[in-house]
Amino acid sequence: MAQREPVMNERELEEFLDEVFPQQRGKFTIEKMASMEARLRMKITEAELRPGGTVSGPAMFTAVDCAFYVVVLGMIGRQALTVTTNCAINFMRKPEPKDLVVEAKLMKLGKTLAVGDATVFSPGVEGPVCHASLTYAIPPAR
């Protein structure tokens, strides 16, 4: 089977995120977009921290969800209404109060659904801090 190539690059994806989610401008850096995978960095500020000096669960979910959105759109193009239909997330280790790095991978990319996973890393912590399995619904082509 031929390998599918992305239809959007890192810069195009960042510009699109800024366009459709202006409230998140500057929060994410897309470090890599390749066939069926992406790597994203989420800037962590005091607003994402919880008591105990760690990144909150909702912030990690945001990182996972955004990374998966990026990998799906990187492969299908500007489809702003592509949405999360399922996410199961496991929090495994306490992240440092630093930027998070997320690696998202597609296992299946169909016409109406995308299925894959995302793994979150925290610089200074050995191993992943959380892992999620996700499914996204892709809007019908018009």
Side-chain angles (χ1 to χ4, degrees):
M1 176 167 32
Q3 183 172 330
R4 289 177 67 172
E5 292 302 318
V7 298
M8 294 178 77
N9 64 33
E10 295 87 351
R11 181 188 51 77
E12 292 167 329
L13 285 160
E14 283 186 15
E15 288 173 358
F16 187 66
L17 285 180
D18 286 348
E19 177 186 321
V20 296
F21 296 109
Q23 69 277 20
Q24 297 291 328
R25 188 179 311 268
K27 191 79 180 156
F28 300 99
T29 302
I30 300 163
E31 297 183 341
K32 173 186 170 186
M33 180 63 221
S35 179
M36 306 287 277
E37 62 182 61
R39 184 176 57 246
L40 170 140
R41 180 174 297 269
M42 179 178 171
K43 182 178 180 181
I44 298 300
T45 67
E46 198 168 316
E48 288 82 32
L49 300 182
R50 57 161 284 137
T54 188
V55 179
S56 72
M60 287 189 275
F61 173 82
T62 299
V64 160
D65 199 37
C66 185
F68 202 72
Y69 188 68
V70 163
V71 73
V72 173
L73 294 187
M75 296 304 295
I76 68 171
R78 299 170 60 95
Q79 298 280 342
L81 297 180
T82 300
V83 296
T84 311
T85 58
N86 188 57
C87 179
I89 190 166
N90 294 295
F91 300 99
M92 300 181 289
R93 293 174 181 83
K94 179 180 171 181
E96 293 290 321
K98 300 177 182 174
D99 292 356
L100 298 175
V101 176
V102 188
E103 295 177 357
K105 295 182 181 179
L106 288 166
M107 296 169 21
K108 178 188 182 290
L109 180 58
K111 290 181 182 178
T112 59
L113 289 177
V115 178
D117 66 3
T119 306
V120 181
F121 298 91
S122 175
V125 176
E126 189 173 330
V129 295
C130 79
H131 175 266
S133 298
L134 298 103
T135 303
Y136 264 46
I138 300 169
R142 291 186 180 231

